[in-house]
Amino acid sequence: MFYLIGLGLGDAKDITVRGLEIIKQCDKVLLEGYTSILTVGKEVLEEYYGRPLILADRELCESNIDETLKEARDKDIALLVVGDPLGATTHTDMLLRAKQFGVKSQIIHNASIMNAVSCCGLQLYSFGETVSIPFWTDSWKPDSFYEKIVKNFSGNLHTLCLLDIKVKEPTEESLTKKVCQYMDPKFMTVNDAVAQLIQIIDKNPDTGITKQSIAVGLSRVGAPDQQIKVTTLEKMLDVDLGPPLHSLVIPAPHLHPLEVDYLEQFR
């Protein structure tokens, strides 16, 4: 059996009882470590689970997963994923590949930012399409995600913005010279995301979203040191939300009275 097990968002104890039982009986357990990060390290998980974990990087998950899946024909193998295991398309692809190899699979769900974002008081059924904001470079500044934010905003829907992370990303030299080199880990902050958004807003002044529009910044959702801040996009540039991971929400222009009251405590 191949198991995809969600770890939740906070610490080692956020694993479900069923997930923990499976981890303890598996022949091999891998920890996926590049689509997101947990607020505790691999060693803390190993101590709590009582067994060693194999770190699964991007290369293993996207290019070399076939051997692991084939191994699951005869063994019980689990891949642990921060949040919910189907939050990233990489893991959906794994399930399809497992089926091609005749490997049975099971999914053990858990909390993810997709539902835990409701901790800020915005109602989940009023969210539109989620967007991802990538890091810009000097030569690459994509802004197509902004169209989705505007579409949600015009439909009076909130937008959850997932912020870019770079974990074991190959350097440009690695790609051009075929030398195995990786960038240092990098996690987009709410400040980074807002700075890029404001540049896009300045170029698109007629979308209804301005620098004075309200934004919700969140960090380390589900952890004891979780932070939430509500202010304008312009003022969010100077807000310090601490260590990663960060998320950003652009609320709908017209909020339910309960949403207004709940957000007020985070101003």
Side-chain angles (χ1 to χ4, degrees):
M1 183 74 74
F2 175 65
Y3 296 97
L4 270 176
I5 301 176
L7 298 182
L9 293 169
D11 59 26
K13 294 180 182 178
D14 284 350
I15 185 76
T16 64
V17 174
R18 183 168 173 235
L20 184 57
E21 289 174 347
I22 292 170
I23 288 172
K24 289 183 177 295
Q25 58 89 27
C26 275
D27 298 296
K28 180 187 291 187
V29 182
L30 296 90
L31 174 64
E32 192 263 270
Y34 80 92
T35 59
S36 188
I37 60 166
L38 203 62
T39 55
V40 296
K42 172 173 170 281
E43 295 75 16
V44 175
L45 296 181
E46 289 177 326
E47 182 178 355
Y48 186 70
Y49 301 154
R51 62 168 305 146
L53 304 176
I54 300 167
L55 197 61
D57 59 17
R58 179 186 290 273
E59 186 176 353
L60 190 153
C61 289
E62 293 188 350
S63 304
N64 300 320
I65 194 63
D66 287 2
E67 292 306 312
T68 299
L69 293 174
K70 290 175 183 177
E71 194 176 355
R73 288 170 174 164
D74 305 308
K75 296 180 180 180
D76 287 331
I77 296 179
L79 178 68
L80 311 184
V81 181
V82 176
D84 186 84
L86 296 188
T89 53
T90 298
H91 309 124
T92 307
D93 181 64
M94 287 179 188
L95 295 174
L96 292 173
R97 297 173 84 85
K99 190 172 184 179
Q100 290 176 355
F101 295 138
V103 175
K104 294 185 290 184
S105 59
Q106 282 190 28
I107 305 161
I108 314 301
H109 292 285
N110 210 319
S112 76
I113 189 60
M114 300 291 284
N115 62 328
V117 67
S118 59
C119 65
C120 70
L122 295 176
Q123 297 165 356
L124 285 178
Y125 53 76
S126 294
F127 275 80
E129 184 175 356
T130 298
V131 306
S132 296
I133 300 182
F135 276 115
W136 282 356
T137 67
D138 292 338
S139 58
W140 189 68
K141 296 185 178 183
D143 60 5
S144 59
F145 62 86
Y146 186 66
E147 296 175 11
K148 297 177 182 179
I149 297 176
V150 172
K151 182 179 178 182
N152 287 341
F153 194 82
S154 62
N156 204 46
L157 297 172
H158 315 309
T159 305
L160 169 61
C161 304
L162 304 178
L163 308 188
D164 202 1
I165 68 172
K166 301 287 188 186
V167 178
K168 207 171 182 182
E169 290 278 336
T171 61
E172 288 188 18
E173 186 178 39
S174 175
L175 295 172
T176 56
K177 298 183 179 179
K178 297 183 179 180
V179 179
C180 191
Q181 293 179 335
Y182 298 101
M183 303 178 191
D184 292 333
K186 187 178 180 183
F187 305 95
M188 181 179 281
T189 65
V190 163
N191 317 81
D192 297 327
V194 169
Q196 293 182 183
L197 266 177
I198 286 178
Q199 290 187 53
I200 298 171
I201 290 168
D202 286 341
K203 294 178 182 178
N204 299 271
D206 300 321
T207 61
I209 303 173
T210 72
K211 290 184 283 188
Q212 301 308 314
S213 295
I214 296 300
V216 182
L218 307 98
S219 69
R220 298 175 69 82
V221 172
D225 56 349
Q226 167 183 300
Q227 290 193 61
I228 302 172
K229 178 64 177 178
V230 177
T231 188
T232 63
L233 280 167
E234 189 171 45
K235 291 181 178 178
M236 191 69 77
L237 285 170
D238 300 318
V239 172
D240 181 6
L241 287 173
L245 291 172
H246 289 193
S247 301
L248 177 70
V249 177
I250 307 300
H254 306 293
L255 302 178
H256 187 282
L258 285 176
E259 292 179 314
V260 173
D261 291 344
Y262 205 91
L263 287 174
E264 194 62 33
Q265 67 186 301
F266 304 121
R267 289 184 180 271

